[in-house]
Amino acid sequence: MKRADDLDVAGRTVLVRADLNVPMDGAAITDDGRIRASLPTLRNLVSRGAKVVVCAHLGRPKGDGYAERAAGGPSLAPVAARLAELLGRPVPLAADVAGESARARAAGLAGGQVAMLENVRFELGETSDEDAEREVLAGRLAELADAYVGDGFGAMHRKHASVYDLPRLLPHAAGQLVLAELSVLRQLTTDPPRPYVVVLGGAKASDKLPVIGSLTRIADRLLIGGGMAYTFLAAQGHQVGDSLLEADQIPQVSAVLAEAASAGVEVVLPVDHVVADHVGADASAEVVAGPDVPAGKIALDIGPLTQELFTRKLADAKTVFWNGPPGVFEFPAFADGTRAVTGAISAVTGLTVVGGGDSAAAVRLLGFPDDAFTHISTGGGASLEYLEGAALPGLTALEAP
């Protein structure tokens, strides 16, 4: 795979597909980690005299056409403003993705300057299942630039126009973020130091079953929390009250548990819970001893005994991969489990990888420094699919000559 350093960029227009899909509260960015992660590649290109056009998506715009999606948003305007602050230089935002405003912005750049396109998902062709529709948008984007740098690892698992089709139309290379993510993920899949402990949380068991199946062939221990844990507990015959449950996934979960047992992989599930009668910041927390959740109660965090158990199971680890918080950490009453797990992982002397998304947000919200971990991924779903052994369309495109 060609690296961005291998491209001749001085005086040339380089379109950088970044992953700037940051969490927002209205127009306010609540975690700028992905913007910060894009800085090394952007600064490198700027320092070499490139004219940089940043392409990214934000959220999931709704609507049947460009105008409807653009009217409903979200706009990348707050992201462009934050990127400008971090780069210390203006980052003007085009009023469209690949139209008149985008062409004017790109054409008006001088070497060392940066501009941003509006949310690429305003264009229906970006996410279309039809090859021809994606290729039309890719062609319009290609007209803006002389070269392409793929640096949005969090979108690499998407067969989207700006990720998969566009690099085939321009000289292309991988940015520093993509190369860093790949380096870490290869360490997780190629003879990792042991014990290798994987911590999985999040809402749905169905989202993680494929990666769990793959991890049973390489990990030593799986710690499972979050909403997904209750489908696992139900598969073992426990009562889960009104907790999140994917009843239709119980057979698949049972099969995964059997596969783990056969492979000698230890699966650790919650042994107590913090529950409430509804989900909300005003919910009253109550600790329930034992693995069963009473009727009418919703488990929203792992209990104190589980926090101690997970901490012990992480204490001897030499490699840790964590994806998904064990509780609803956004609400202080249900954040202790995530805080305990984060602290235990940060204390590990070895390779510690935080798998993006809500896990990365939890690290920052709970006040842990980024450098307490070997690597905080921007990948989320892309990281999981890589660990599953799936081919990522964006990487396939970058690897092509």
Side-chain angles (χ1 to χ4, degrees), residues 189-202:
T189 54
T190 307
D191 195 25
R194 299 183 180 280
Y196 179 9
V197 182
V198 175
V199 184
L200 295 175

Side-chain angles (χ1 to χ4, degrees), residues 85-377:
E85 291 177 359
L86 293 169
L87 281 176
R89 66 186 64 231
V91 181
L93 177 70
D96 54 30
V97 175
E100 182 178 346
S101 178
R103 291 191 294 271
R105 287 294 188 195
L109 290 173
Q113 293 184 333
V114 182
M116 184 181 291
L117 306 178
E118 216 358 322
N119 189 343
V120 69
R121 287 189 180 174
F122 288 169
E123 292 278 357
L124 272 65
E126 168 68 0
T127 58
S128 176
D129 292 331
E130 299 295 328
D131 292 351
E133 292 181 13
R134 293 197 317 275
E135 289 166 1
V136 167
L137 176 58
R140 292 166 58 207
L141 290 167
E143 292 174 358
L144 303 176
D146 304 307
Y148 173 95
V149 170
D151 206 37
F153 186 78
M156 286 290 164
H157 59 318
R158 306 296 189 189
K159 193 175 183 180
H160 289 172
S162 66
V163 176
Y164 176 75
D165 301 275
L166 178 55
R168 297 189 292 172
L169 303 178
L170 293 169
H172 55 267
Q176 293 184 36
L177 174 60
V178 164
L179 295 170
E181 295 277 9
L182 286 175
S183 174
V184 168
L185 290 170
R186 285 169 180 153
Q187 291 179 66
L188 291 175
T189 54
T190 307
D191 195 25
R194 299 183 180 280
Y196 179 9
V197 182
V198 175
V199 184
L200 295 175
K204 295 182 178 180
S206 55
D207 292 341
K208 305 285 172 71
L209 286 178
V211 74
I212 292 174
S214 297
L215 289 169
T216 56
R217 296 189 287 274
I218 188 168
D220 299 302
R221 194 176 298 147
L222 300 177
L223 313 185
I224 298 177
M228 63 180 290
Y230 299 95
T231 302
F232 278 80
L233 287 169
Q236 292 186 336
H238 294 291
Q239 300 300 311
V240 298
D242 291 341
S243 306
L244 188 61
L245 172 66
E246 293 181 284
D248 62 325
Q249 296 294 311
I250 287 177
Q252 292 90 327
V253 166
S254 297
V256 165
L257 287 170
E259 184 179 351
S262 177
V265 176
E266 183 182 10
V267 177
V268 184
L269 296 172
V271 295
D272 64 343
H273 318 277
V274 180
V275 306
D277 57 11
H278 70 281
V279 181
D282 62 340
S284 180
E286 174 187 350
V287 175
V288 171
D292 294 294
V293 179
K297 296 293 185 179
I298 306 169
L300 298 177
D301 194 12
I302 55 173
L305 293 179
T306 306
Q307 294 171 31
E308 294 174 7
L309 174 63
F310 281 17
T311 298
R312 290 200 307 273
K313 295 296 184 179
L314 284 160
D316 65 345
K318 297 302 179 187
T319 302
V320 177
F321 175 69
W322 171 33
N323 183 276
V328 186
F329 68 92
E330 298 89 344
F331 303 144
F334 307 103
D336 286 350
T338 304
R339 184 177 290 105
V341 166
T342 308
I345 295 172
S346 71
V348 169
T349 55
L351 176 65
T352 53
V353 180
V354 180
D358 285 344
S359 304
V363 166
R364 294 168 182 136
L365 180 67
L366 298 176
F368 288 84
D370 285 10
D371 60 8
F373 310 90
T374 306
H375 182 71
I376 297 182
S377 174

